Amino acid sequence: MQEANDEGRVKSGARAGDGRKPRADAIRNRERVLEAAKAVFSQGGPAASLEGVARQAGVGIGTLYRHFPTREALFEAVYRREVEQLVELVQALKAEASPAEALRLWLRANVAFVATKKGMLAALALATQKNPDLMAYSSDRLTQAVGELLARGAAAGEIRDDIGPEDVLRALIGMCYAQDRPDWQDSVLRLIDVFVDGLRLRGQPPG
Amino acid sequence: MQEANDEGRVKSGARAGDGRKPRADAIRNRERVLEAAKAVFSQGGPAASLEGVARQAGVGIGTLYRHFPTREALFEAVYRREVEQLVELVQALKAEASPAEALRLWLRANVAFVATKKGMLAALALATQKNPDLMAYSSDRLTQAVGELLARGAAAGEIRDDIGPEDVLRALIGMCYAQDRPDWQDSVLRLIDVFVDGLRLRGQPPG
DNA sequence: TTGCAAACGGAGGCACCCTCCATATTCTAA
DNA sequence: TTAGAATATGGAGGGTGCCTCCGTTTGCAA
């Protein structure tokens, strides 16, 4: 009768309403399933077999379903995680590269993401249709992340300050949208270089 | 030259290599399956049951598979047809409305399309991933169609001539991309009105 | 009419979906 | 350390959908 949990939205994971900590094996298995799901969805798209995911994760199908009661829940968890990784990449790049270069590398990483995870994109189309919040959430997170890169560049006088993060994301989406030919990646990578060059301020500060 | 019968690449239907005409019942059933598939995919998305399609079409599952050997083939046929209808709508609107108004109505029709056929969008994401030609084909057809509307408006001095059909389509896609809230349709319809107003030339010709 | 190629429909074998519960594992408190 | 409670596991099972195969039906030409 306790257990009204089911959490704000996220199910299945850590303690929330009830102050209890999940068991160690539960955490481990949850992780395994997520890892396997990432691979399987990337490869096979949104209709990929969940039993296949469980097999690859080395857990029973029942375990998979306890952690993620629906296909959408599983996909959503995988996707949120990917978004989080892209956000973290921003932090890492800030430490390693000049502002403009960091932006360029981050955009390139996104292209790689799209290219590697083809199936995930189709799955995303399905998932956002059933749960619009997911799109809103990821847009916010990514906008904020790009915003940091831009602000840093602007502060350093390396990048113009009249282009907002939404514009950059929209450009990225637009460029990745037309996956009409086998060599679309090359094309988009070139476009990104051009785009970042366009964002650069010409009169460079010392350094 | 009437008809050229649809077949650009499409398999399954009419004569091609062999000069034989398909049987009447074959044509009829093919049509029924397409109609049913449109409804079922729109409602249920790309994973919808093909046996369900066959049931709704009133044909056996074997018949469905003879006409469309794979799920993708079926979806592709449905989608090509939808694109064709949007193209035909352009012709109809040219006869019925002023250039700018025709453009406005056509864009609105696209929003309705997206709204009604939610499932089709997810299916499209899947299908284009497996067959990039499909995207290229539909882009071309739609670009050409919008191009006609724009050219007509420009010729009549109603619409500016420095915006190309690709720009208009990109704007449309961009506006429909953010289906993040239940009332996204209202928002997009407003944006379309604004957009078309923006395309209008101020000094209007007589009429 | 008749003959036959073309088309039909659905049975059958297999994979996957998801639920349920007997069993196994982890945690806690003594 | 250990026992018992709480929690988690895994896979059997009933149902649905996928797709192939083939005996039967139908349209069409002669």
Side-chain angles (χ1 to χ4, degrees):
Chain A
M1 49 169 63
Q2 75 276 52
E3 167 134 56
N5 60 10
D6 162 41
E7 332 296 73
R9 349 241 86 209
V10 189
K11 311 114 200 306
S12 108
R15 67 252 172 77
D18 57 334
R20 210 175 283 278
K21 206 168 48 173
R23 258 168 52 173
D25 53 347
I27 294 178
R28 175 166 29 82
N29 282 332
R30 186 187 151 87
E31 207 59 24
R32 283 186 184 171
V33 169
L34 280 175
E35 211 57 40
K38 178 168 79 176
V40 171
F41 280 139
S42 300
Q43 236 260 309
S49 158
L50 295 190
E51 298 199 326
V53 172
R55 267 196 300 277
Q56 178 151 345
V59 307
I61 184 66
T63 298
L64 183 151
Y65 273 97
R66 171 149 349 78
H67 285 294
F68 308 98
T70 66
R71 179 180 290 271
E72 285 73 34
L74 174 55
F75 177 77
E76 185 172 331
V78 172
Y79 181 66
R80 287 190 124 96
R81 209 177 212 229
E82 296 286 306
V83 168
E84 233 41 59
Q85 279 174 17
L86 282 173
V87 170
E88 278 164 24
L89 178 60
V90 163
Q91 307 309 327
L93 286 174
K94 278 165 75 170
E96 285 175 18
S98 75
E101 187 62 9
L103 180 60
R104 201 175 73 88
L105 290 174
W106 191 80
L107 291 174
R108 291 178 83 99
N110 274 272
V111 175
F113 176 89
V114 170
T116 322
K117 316 266 171 63
K118 298 198 93 167
M120 291 263 305
L121 285 193
L124 182 60
L126 245 195
T128 53
Q129 172 196 331
K130 297 199 177 174
N131 177 5
D133 286 352
L134 180 56
M135 181 102 260
Y137 165 82
S138 60
S139 297
D140 285 355
R141 289 294 278 149
L142 293 177
T143 301
Q144 194 197 332
V146 177
E148 288 182 33
L149 287 180
L150 288 179
R152 180 159 159 268
E158 244 187 54
I159 287 186
R160 41 194 293 189
D161 60 2
D162 57 343
I163 302 292
E166 300 87 356
D167 300 319
V168 174
L169 278 185
R170 187 167 290 271
L172 180 64
I173 291 170
M175 288 191 276
C176 290
Y177 194 83
Q179 305 180 21
D180 48 0
R181 289 198 289 139
D183 61 343
W184 68 270
Q185 266 196 83
D186 296 339
S187 160
V188 172
L189 289 177
R190 274 195 302 278
L191 287 176
I192 283 179
D193 287 352
V194 171
F195 181 64
V196 174
D197 272 355
L199 287 176
R200 274 203 174 89
L201 287 169
R202 290 299 169 226
Q204 281 163 350
Chain B
M1 61 170 62
Q2 82 288 32
E3 189 168 24
N5 83 20
D6 158 40
E7 328 300 54
R9 352 242 81 214
V10 190
K11 333 126 195 291
S12 109
R15 66 251 171 77
D18 59 335
R20 210 177 283 278
K21 204 168 55 174
R23 258 168 51 172
D25 53 347
I27 294 178
R28 176 166 28 84
N29 282 333
R30 186 187 151 87
E31 206 59 22
R32 282 186 185 170
V33 169
L34 280 175
E35 210 58 40
K38 179 169 77 176
V40 172
F41 280 139
S42 300
Q43 237 261 308
S49 157
L50 295 191
E51 299 200 323
V53 172
R55 267 196 300 276
Q56 176 152 345
V59 306
I61 185 67
T63 298
L64 183 151
Y65 273 97
R66 174 151 347 82
H67 284 294
F68 308 98
T70 67
R71 179 180 290 272
E72 286 72 34
L74 174 56
F75 177 76
E76 185 171 332
V78 171
Y79 181 66
R80 286 189 125 96
R81 205 176 216 229
E82 296 286 306
V83 169
E84 234 39 60
Q85 281 175 16
L86 282 173
V87 170
E88 279 164 25
L89 177 60
V90 163
Q91 307 309 326
L93 286 173
K94 277 165 75 170
E96 286 177 16
S98 75
E101 187 62 10
L103 180 59
R104 202 176 71 89
L105 291 174
W106 190 80
L107 292 174
R108 290 178 83 98
N110 274 273
V111 175
F113 176 88
V114 170
T116 323
K117 316 265 169 62
K118 298 199 94 166
M120 291 264 304
L121 284 194
L124 183 60
L126 245 196
T128 53
Q129 171 195 332
K130 297 199 176 174
N131 177 5
D133 287 352
L134 180 57
M135 182 101 257
Y137 164 82
S138 60
S139 295
D140 285 356
R141 290 292 279 149
L142 293 177
T143 302
Q144 195 196 333
V146 177
E148 288 183 34
L149 287 179
L150 288 178
R152 179 158 160 267
E158 246 188 50
I159 287 184
R160 43 196 292 189
D161 60 3
D162 58 343
I163 302 293
E166 299 87 355
D167 301 318
V168 174
L169 278 185
R170 188 168 293 271
L172 180 64
I173 290 168
M175 288 191 276
C176 289
Y177 194 83
Q179 304 180 21
D180 49 1
R181 290 199 287 140
D183 60 343
W184 68 271
Q185 267 195 82
D186 296 338
S187 160
V188 172
L189 289 177
R190 275 196 301 278
L191 287 175
I192 283 179
D193 288 352
V194 171
F195 182 64
V196 173
D197 272 355
L199 287 175
R200 276 205 172 87
L201 287 169
R202 289 298 169 226
Q204 281 164 350

